[in-house]
Amino acid sequence: MLIKRAPDIKSSEITDFQFYLDRRSFLIGMAAMALAPARSATAAVSAGEPLKAKRKEKFAVQDAPTTLKSITTYNNFYEFGVNKDDPSRLAHTLKPRPWTIQVDGHVARPKKYDVEELMRLFPLEERVYRLRCVEGWSMVIPWIGYPLASLIKRAQPTSKAKFVEFTTLLDPAQFPGQRKGLLNFSSLEWPYVEGLRLDEALHPLTLLTFGLYGQVLPNQNGAPVRVVVPWKYGFKSAKSIVRIRFVSEQPKTAWEKATPSEYGFYSNVNPAVDHPRWTQATERRIGEFRRRQTLMFNGYADQVASLYTGMDLKKHY
Ligand SMILES: Nc1nc2c(c(=O)[nH]1)N[C@H]1C(S)=C(S)[C@@H](COP(=O)(O)O)O[C@H]1N2
Ligand SMILES: [Mo]
């Protein structure tokens, strides 16, 4: 992965007060929404609009959330470019609605969903998860979504379904980073493809995500719908997905194709297995000065370690 130094974000930016302010503007937004005429169940929403969700304390880490500003201006989204500020600068070129998500492959009920329908299939939850990028930085993000498992059960995978493949939109007109040219040196093959084993995709922590911080998902964070898999490095959580396909073979992911020796299929957060070019033992939480120890499975070991019993995690990195 191309490493760029983070522009240092002042720690004074990240305070409980900031969180309170963000929270308050969310509540004001909610109040405004309560006064507004009821919208139809399938009406399109847009980025920044308030999105109602029930907070799930069970799925909320105690770490202070990263500021909305950092979450929306310090991004990895190579479809917009390789610099951290490219996604927020260029994300307006993405048109996240209308949007169709195809659920197909080895399932009894394949279906094309409009994103508005998909977003309202199951109750939305707010979950505060840690996100650990393979580059060595981390954030804490209040996501809004529902368990991917709910959608999977609806699709009814057949016995042939062993893995789930996620595909990001391919459209150079909306994604400048997908255009051929001298400035596009990310070396990824488009479209961005990611994958999970079926049991990982079914795990209750795996979230199909439509919003963050009480709002509809900003474009730079993967609008209109992305996956969030909190115990894996951030790149496993594909953004702006158009297809969820159930397959029998382990999918070839974009990062594996680019650099198989550096980015494996599993990519579980593991402080004991270094990246060939840098340590994974510690991380810099955006907004903090001192580095933190990275936790096994990003702190979710109690919930997910049993998925990997008997596996050599140095081999299956
Ligand atoms: N389609 C797509 N999905 C992607 C990426 C990308 O470049 N393209 N970057 C990944 C990486 S490396 C990380 S760390 C997270 C960052 O998510 P965030 O910007 O919402 O914090 O998105 C992941 N999903
Ligand atoms: Mo990342």
Side-chain angles (χ1 to χ4, degrees), residues 1 71 74-79 81 131-135 137 139 141 143 168-169 175 188 190 192 212 220-222 226 233-240 255:
M1 212 164 278
I71 292 170
Y74 189 84
N75 300 99
N76 270 343
F77 199 165
Y78 278 30
E79 283 83 342
L131 179 139
R132 170 63 156 80
C133 178
V134 74
E135 295 165 342
W137 50 268
M139 295 193 188
I141 304 181
W143 298 113
T168 296
L169 175 71
F175 285 139
L188 284 187
W190 310 113
Y192 194 96
L212 59 79
Q220 58 268 42
N221 296 94
R226 69 177 296 173
Y233 292 117
F235 68 86
K236 295 296 293 179
S237 297
K239 295 175 165 180
S240 305
W255 283 107

Side-chain angles (χ1 to χ4, degrees), residues 196-310:
L196 296 171
R197 224 167 52 192
L198 184 61
D199 59 342
E200 297 177 321
L202 283 167
H203 192 280
L205 282 170
T206 305
L207 199 68
L208 193 64
T209 303
F210 301 90
L212 59 79
Y213 256 114
Q215 304 177 3
V216 173
L217 204 57
N219 289 1
Q220 58 268 42
N221 296 94
V225 59
R226 69 177 296 173
V227 180
V228 174
V229 194
W231 71 93
K232 292 179 178 281
Y233 292 117
F235 68 86
K236 295 296 293 179
S237 297
K239 295 175 165 180
S240 305
I241 57 181
V242 292
R243 191 175 189 190
I244 300 175
R245 187 163 71 112
F246 294 77
V247 295
S248 46
E249 305 295 325
Q250 185 174 302
K252 266 269 172 248
T253 71
W255 283 107
E256 265 189 296
K257 276 195 238 171
T259 328
S261 61
E262 299 189 358
Y263 309 108
F265 177 80
Y266 284 92
S267 289
N268 293 310
V269 174
N270 189 341
V273 178
D274 284 340
H275 183 279
R277 292 185 280 133
W278 59 82
T279 178
Q280 293 294 23
T282 61
E283 67 197 58
R284 191 175 77 92
R285 179 69 51 84
I286 299 298
E288 290 181 356
F289 179 69
R290 227 174 307 247
R291 289 182 75 86
R292 290 178 172 245
Q293 296 299 124
T294 287
L295 304 172
M296 187 62 198
F297 295 114
N298 205 20
Y300 299 95
D302 287 352
Q303 291 105 297
V304 303
S306 63
L307 291 171
Y308 309 103
T309 39

Side-chain angles (χ1 to χ4, degrees), residues 136-153:
W137 50 268
S138 64
M139 295 193 188
V140 177
I141 304 181
W143 298 113
I144 295 176
Y146 56 71
L148 178 64
S150 301
L151 178 65
I152 295 179
K153 284 168 192 159

Side-chain angles (χ1 to χ4, degrees), residues 11 13 22 35 54 73 96 100 134 137 147 157 161 163 180 201 204 219 230 237-239 251 266 292 301 314:
S11 58
E13 236 182 57
D22 289 331
L35 293 173
K54 191 169 195 294
T73 55
T100 307
V134 74
W137 50 268
F163 295 89
K180 300 220 162 31
N219 289 1
S237 297
K239 295 175 165 180
Y266 284 92
R292 290 178 172 245
K314 284 209 159 74

Side-chain angles (χ1 to χ4, degrees), residues 147-169:
L148 178 64
S150 301
L151 178 65
I152 295 179
K153 284 168 192 159
R154 193 172 201 270
Q156 296 171 15
T158 69
S159 58
K160 286 186 185 153
K162 305 287 184 220
F163 295 89
V164 186
E165 179 192 78
F166 306 93
T167 307
T168 296
L169 175 71

